[in-house]
Amino acid sequence: MICAPKLEDTVMVAGSERGELIEDERSRIIEHLQTGTEMMVYQQRAERFTVQVIMETMQVALIRSSDRIVKVLDIFQLKEVRQWATFKDFQQFNESRGSKFRRIFCQPEKEVQQDSKTCFTIFYGSEFILKSLSLNADSVEDAEKWLTGLELLRQKTLAAHTPEIIESWLWKQMYSVDKTKKNSITLKELKSLLPEMNITVPSGRFLEERFVEVGAKDYVLDFQQFHKFYNLLIFENQKVLLEEFEKGPAAFTLSNTDRPESSVLPLSDFQNFLLCRQKETWAKNLNKIQELMTIFIDDTMRKTDYPKFTAGEFLCFLFSKENSIWDEKFSEICPLDMNNPLSHYWINSSHNTYLTGDQVRSVSSTEAYVRCLRLGCRCVELDCWDGPDEPVIFHGRTMTSKIKFKDVVKAINDHAFITSEYPVVLSIEEHCEPKQQKVMAQMLKDVFQDKLLTEPLDPEAEHLPSPNQLKGKIIIKHQKINESDHTDKQEEENGNRAVKWKLDSFRKIGNTCMEKQITKTKENRVLEKKGELCIWDPIDMRFYKHDCVISDNKLYYSEEKEEDSPTDGSDLHLSEPWFHGRMTEGRITAEKLLHNFCKGKGGKDGTFLVRESDKFIRNYSISLWTRRRVQHYRIFWSSENGHASFFLASKQCFPSMCALIEHYRQNLIEYDGFNLHLKSFLPRLNFVCHHQMGWFYSNLNRAKAEEYLLRIPRDGAFLIRQKEEPDTFSTFNQTVSFLIEGVIEHYLIYRYNGKYVLPDIYEFFRLEDMVSCFREQLFNGKIKLRYPVTPELVERICMEDLLTYDSELYSEVPKDNPLGYQCKGVVDILKCTVARNAKHGGPLVVTLLNKENLKLIEFTSEILEQVEEWYQTVLNIIQSRIEEMESKTKIAVEMSNMVVYCQSIKKTLKKTFENYNYKEVRSFKDDEITKKGNETVVKPECFLEYNCTALSRVYPSGGRVDSSNFDPCPSWKLGCQMVALNFQTADKFMQLNNALFTLNGGTGYVLKPEWMRDPTKKKPSKQNIRIRVIAARHLPNPDHIVSPFVKVELLPYTGNQVDDYSFKTTLLKDNGLNPVWLGPGNQPKCFEVDEPDLAFLRFEVSEEDTFSDAKLLAQATFPVRGIRSGYRSVPLKNMCSENLELASLLVHTEQIEV
């Protein structure tokens, strides 16, 4: 059963939601439109009209002061009501329609600002290029009412049932000849009207008899009588159709069929008809049948619980859109079908989207983009060329007009997701130099903002994301700079080294050794920068010092540097009660502790604590309570010849922190204008050094321990665990587990004489002593216990987050590097972007982000000037490389960086399938796909296999200068996703495209059949479909009464005999209102459907011209998979696949199992 669209409470105008309206508000707005409003209307010239809605005909009328209707437009043809964001846009749009508008808009700035809120344009029509009507209301309130009201009426028109549409159509016919404005029509006027209704005028006697039959007086019909006359007229030639139902299953007989209301069809017979002939399973529900019959019953007295159809009402139902041949469930969106990779879909695609006609002289227009996007197109083309000041779009080296790239991007942004929320691909054909490509890239960023996809959703994915994942996203299809094409051979040779070199580098190399290694560098190696940097460790959440070198466009860094073990008692502070160690959020935590402590003690000035920096090694601070606030003083530390020094800003040095604290407890601190000395301290409570917290687990099995360690994929990650069920008689109740070279090792710990013993190695009184020992020395000669795996750490870090930082942890380090065996990792600067900002507690931190895998490394230095020097060195390397690549490839890096999933690749058809990845798009001309002999070059299986993973785009060959289209079916059959057609050309192949993309809610994405997505699946079995054309109603009338015939064809043709895939009816003379094709010359045709998933049934209604050539009047094209059986209406469309009001065929279809 076909359900009409529901009139929504939420009104959308030009893509913007105007809020929910209650019924009373909607009624008041529509009444306002019926009353009419004076506005400035911009046509050939600016002129004031009364703009009024005529509800009977569902039209908008322009009325002059003389009460003369100058122009009307049908609301069912209304496509968009666009409120202009600025008056400048409104002016620009109207000026583009001709120079005559330019003088209209010479207004003061104040008026221009006001007009920006009152201007709107109505776009309407049934062709590709829409007509427009620009209006300027006198007030914002009037403009808002018209914007809202027109959208309400548009929705109402879409939801209207067939009897309502017939009534509106009859009002139009009457108004077209009603010169007296009395809502009546005379016999003379009716005779002139009938040819316009597409039927030969019957004899005068016939008309006179019908006038008497409908109760007319003085040969004048009012509207009700005119409606009855129409019922008699359309029934007269088609009452013979009722004989169809007197035989066969669920047969019924109407006793008297001379007049449309002379006999009735009861509810039970109609139910049997729906169940048996129409195969409607929903017809078991009587309530649904009653609702359907009520729509077509004209007499309210018969709208009961047991309604009855008259013969005329039954025929009206048969020809109605409610009885359509198309099963609307195939037009619904299936959300579950939108979770496959993009490569599994056919994608609605446009070629030369900017053109409104041929490729030589036609006009380029931003409105062509708007039209395509609103028709459901999801891939539009932009041919970009250098303009005087900014990029332009046109068909290069032709006389087609030019439009600004910026205007096109704005139009796409405004209309991309109105019809469909699924991603839009911008297929950019690049002819601009890199300079203007940079301008393009900035425009794309500025206009699309967060809609623009610039990073992969999942860098580790092995297939394209799904339409659901990419909702609301703009995807750039463009050439991308291939880094590997510009990599030095030496770099490639050094790129594949054994992982062993990396693992061996965990050996301690002294600073002296480092200098020797740097000195031994080859003469041809360029050392651009060397020194010491602090690199962020995401596990310990702090910076560690590393020796670093920039050489050959790479950053090499060493193991973190170990501080010299103090030999002079400089670590005595670790056991002092005033030393609180490293605190989480150190400064904030210290202030809270001191505030709470001193507040309870009366706030004694001089109370202090000492804490270690939570960001840098060997950085300490004194936090001191004074004058009811906390001051912080940094304690500086330095080491020379193994001797430590501690000092404040005064530079007075002390051999230990204990000595410094004791001195300032006796002497004043002169610091930032304060003269204070340290008094009492805030004692630490249960203080435990940070490296001893949380690594012991009292109840953790082996499997869980390994899971925890693998979540921290760092060599040296460790934990100690108690056995799950400690054995009283066993001495082995603890195990130390750690990660080394990516492998987890477990060592048993046993108790002996109250000590913790590792077999044949060491013994300790406490586990804490054991951990402290092996944090300084190699465990079992292999590795130090570096990263304690605490529950907090496991919860904070998952593997994906950590790997973002560990860009080089397990990377292959070249043996021949400036740091030698000390080298821990290497970062290829040319693959990175660089940024600097304040983060991790540092005032200036440099971030290197790898563009390929999105991994990063962050570094700083204790001397800000050095950070800036390193940053500039890295930046110069990147910029030099950018300039080199842009010069070689003619591609701006800014545009290249925007390409994520649709990298345009130029390869011959033969080489296309040799090597590819899922992020690439290959393009082919249509004659490459359909050229004979292609099967010998590339097998269809290769095409299908490629299209399961990556994307392909097929476009019209260069010889199609008239913008003609090619048959898309062969490309679809090979699994090609983006088969780009010229939307501005209304031909058979564009109609096939429109038919395919009616599937899945018109979203522009149609899931390919399973056998195309999975080579292991089989094609569905063949089927037969039998078609018989019976009759038609309301065929279009160009400028004369037509003599129609109907051609039916099954597409695509898969055999050599064309007659096997098409047939024609006989030609009927001079009747386009209600022709009937019955008799021996119009037999049914049975088609064999080889591939039901990619087959289309097409109906053409034509007439013969003076040369006996077929002239197309209307058409309808449907995917075979959605065809319904039984006696069905075929709603007809024009060449642009726009609905024709009331035009339909009546056919009988039957699907037969093979």
Side-chain angles (χ1 to χ4, degrees), residues 241-377:
L241 301 179
L242 298 173
E243 297 175 6
E244 286 276 322
F245 310 104
E246 295 178 357
K247 51 189 176 182
F252 58 86
T253 302
L254 298 176
S255 57
N256 184 0
T257 58
D258 290 337
R259 298 175 59 188
E261 71 279 2
S262 58
S263 58
V264 293
L265 178 67
L267 174 64
S268 57
D269 285 350
F270 185 55
Q271 182 181 35
N272 289 335
F273 167 77
L274 293 174
L275 288 171
C276 298
R277 303 241 185 164
Q278 306 294 83
K279 311 298 182 187
E280 299 283 18
T281 56
W282 61 266
K284 296 176 182 178
N285 188 326
L286 279 177
N287 290 330
K288 289 186 177 180
I289 300 176
Q290 291 165 0
E291 291 175 11
L292 177 62
M293 295 181 73
T294 301
I295 293 171
F296 294 89
I297 293 175
D298 186 41
D299 184 2
T300 56
M301 298 295 293
R302 288 187 289 112
K303 293 181 179 181
T304 64
D305 291 340
Y306 297 95
K308 298 178 181 180
F309 266 159
T310 64
E313 290 164 349
F314 176 64
L315 287 180
C316 182
F317 161 76
L318 290 179
F319 283 93
S320 72
K321 66 179 183 179
E322 288 81 2
N323 185 43
S324 173
I325 192 174
W326 178 246
D327 191 340
E328 285 295 332
K329 74 179 181 183
F330 288 93
S331 292
E332 297 172 357
I333 300 176
C334 182
L336 295 178
D337 282 350
M338 301 302 276
N339 292 324
N340 287 53
L342 284 183
S343 55
H344 289 186
Y345 296 84
W346 289 308
I347 303 172
N348 200 356
S349 305
S350 164
H351 174 253
N352 287 351
T353 312
Y354 49 91
L355 289 180
T356 58
D358 63 47
Q359 300 182 20
V360 181
R361 298 173 179 268
S362 69
V363 174
S364 303
S365 172
T366 57
E367 291 302 318
Y369 285 93
V370 175
R371 186 77 166 118
C372 287
L373 289 168
R374 285 179 167 264
L375 287 171
C377 181

Side-chain angles (χ1 to χ4, degrees), residues 413-478:
N413 184 61
D414 291 340
H415 299 270
F417 303 109
I418 291 175
T419 297
S420 170
E421 62 183 340
Y422 294 100
V424 172
V425 178
L426 305 191
S427 179
I428 297 178
E429 186 175 323
E430 190 64 83
H431 303 281
C432 294
E433 292 297 318
K435 182 179 179 181
Q436 289 209 1
Q437 288 183 40
K438 295 176 187 292
V439 177
M440 290 170 54
Q442 192 59 48
M443 288 177 177
L444 290 169
K445 289 180 181 178
D446 292 344
V447 174
F448 292 129
Q449 298 184 14
D450 59 351
K451 295 178 186 174
L452 188 65
L453 185 73
T454 56
E455 295 180 357
L457 301 186
D458 180 4
E460 304 300 326
E462 298 180 355
H463 55 75
L464 290 165
S466 70
N468 269 336
Q469 292 174 299
L470 292 167
K471 279 183 181 178
K473 290 296 182 183
I474 301 290
I475 302 172
I476 302 299
K477 174 184 169 291
H478 190 275

Side-chain angles (χ1 to χ4, degrees), residues 113 161 266 548 565 576 603 660 735 756 804 882-883 903 935 993 1017 1032 1058 1061:
Q113 293 301 320
H161 294 295
C548 298
S565 300
E576 292 294 332
L660 181 146
T735 302
Y756 295 90
T804 301
I882 287 173
E883 293 172 3
Q903 178 182 353
E935 291 76 5
N993 189 80
K1017 302 296 182 181
V1058 175
Y1061 297 93

Side-chain angles (χ1 to χ4, degrees), residues 841-854:
L844 191 62
V845 177
V846 177
T847 301
L848 279 171
L849 174 66
N850 189 302
K851 295 175 291 187
E852 294 181 355
N853 54 28
L854 300 183

